[in-house]
Amino acid sequence: MSTSAQKHDVFQAIADPTRREVLRLLAEKELPISELTSHFPISRTAIAKHLHILSEAELVSGRKVGREKRYRLQTEPLTELKQFYEQFWNNKLSMLKYIVEDQEDNGLEVIKPDLDKHKS
Amino acid sequence: MSTSAQKHDVFQAIADPTRREVLRLLAEKELPISELTSHFPISRTAIAKHLHILSEAELVSGRKVGREKRYRLQTEPLTELKQFYEQFWNNKLSMLKYIVEDQEDNGLEVIKPDLDKHKS
DNA sequence: TTGATATGAAACCAAAAGGTTTTATATTTT
DNA sequence: AAAATATAAAACCTTTTGGTTTCATATCAA
């Protein structure tokens, strides 16, 4: 069985502010659901659902210890995030716009910062 | 200026795969809605809505040229993404895990990171 | 064993997301 | 001026999201 039938990916997982905060809390230390819940104004059940979504995205994993389930952060999937923004950052894609301003010679018509915006 | 009552932030904006692809397309060059639409199996109206959401998040801006509206990428808000990511990598939050590695005696077992998978 | 604690799971709900189709408006083009 | 093009905006629909409440189960403490 391939593990790729995940319903939620990293991008969806971090879309919710509560989930982002959960990740921040877990970055400091492993925490059980009830402990996590105490940091939010919503129900334990709601937090449990968020954890499930984070878990699907493999951003957290939980292990059972006695009667509680402790969740911990897993950072691997965040690399996808890094890759995403770097796509627009370091590389040619966004750099081109400003650097080559004059030499639109490579087939990709490059956007010049539109100075004509300021004409009036 | 601070129209900060924005309904959609960067995290929500990039949660949708179609919107991420739109951003990739716009990274190469400025494009009008109809051109963009031709890259997707959904309606122009749907793409227009996605552009509106991206616009709210200030990831794109549109300028009207004749009868068409050309959209371009705006990368600034992606720094927020970068910051989020780095929060879990470079800084103390994830560093802590290494530092306290030995004192797992305070009730909550501290997690040793899986960073070694990536750092090398 | 009994009661408190920690979680799991199901049923339900309102609002938001992501689409569609239809109608209207502005701008070319002929 | 008329037809074609490009977008905007509204109404509508279905699924997903983010939350709730309620009930069940497992584990710990007394």
Side-chain angles (χ1 to χ4, degrees), chain A residues 38-51:
Chain A
S38 71
H39 291 80
F40 299 92
I42 61 180
S43 73
R44 177 195 54 86
T45 316
I47 296 295
K49 282 190 184 177
H50 283 307
L51 285 169

Side-chain angles (χ1 to χ4, degrees), chain A residues 6-116:
Chain A
Q6 51 174 161
K7 193 163 135 206
H8 293 99
D9 64 9
V10 182
F11 295 99
Q12 276 180 272
I14 65 161
D16 183 273
T18 299
R19 285 195 291 270
R20 289 198 298 276
E21 186 59 27
V22 165
L23 292 179
R24 282 186 205 100
L25 290 167
L26 292 182
E28 300 186 29
K29 57 173 186 249
E30 195 183 43
L31 289 172
I33 300 187
S34 49
E35 248 293 296
L36 275 170
T37 303
S38 71
H39 291 80
F40 299 92
I42 61 180
S43 73
R44 177 195 54 86
T45 316
I47 296 295
K49 282 190 184 177
H50 283 307
L51 285 169
H52 188 254
I53 290 171
L54 289 170
S55 180
E56 268 189 317
E58 297 187 77
L59 279 165
V60 305
S61 66
R63 63 186 242 271
K64 224 170 146 202
V65 174
R67 61 183 153 183
E68 64 185 20
K69 187 159 184 185
R70 299 196 189 148
Y71 280 89
R72 61 171 57 181
L73 181 67
Q74 294 188 172
T75 50
E76 304 97 295
L78 292 177
T79 56
E80 207 173 340
L81 211 66
K82 183 188 170 85
Q83 283 166 13
F84 180 78
Y85 74 70
E86 281 181 349
Q87 195 169 27
F88 300 102
W89 221 248
N90 317 330
N91 72 6
K92 49 199 168 188
L93 290 184
S94 56
M95 279 325 209
L96 270 180
K97 295 186 202 163
Y98 301 98
I99 294 169
V100 283
E101 226 175 308
D102 291 305
Q103 49 204 28
E104 305 174 357
D105 50 2
N106 57 352
L108 285 180
E109 183 186 336
V110 171
I111 302 151
K112 300 187 206 67
D114 65 332
L115 305 167
D116 34 70

Side-chain angles (χ1 to χ4, degrees), chain B residues 44-97:
Chain B
R44 180 194 54 81
T45 316
I47 297 294
K49 282 189 185 179
H50 282 307
L51 285 168
H52 188 254
I53 289 171
L54 289 170
S55 180
E56 269 188 317
E58 297 186 76
L59 279 164
V60 305
S61 66
R63 62 189 243 267
K64 225 172 147 200
V65 175
R67 61 184 152 185
E68 64 184 23
K69 187 159 182 184
R70 300 200 188 140
Y71 281 89
R72 61 169 55 183
L73 181 67
Q74 294 189 234
T75 51
E76 302 96 294
L78 292 177
T79 55
E80 206 174 340
L81 211 66
K82 184 187 168 85
Q83 282 165 13
F84 179 79
Y85 166 84
E86 284 177 349
Q87 197 170 26
F88 298 100
W89 287 83
N90 313 330
N91 74 3
K92 50 197 167 194
L93 288 185
S94 52
M95 280 325 202
L96 262 183
K97 296 183 200 164

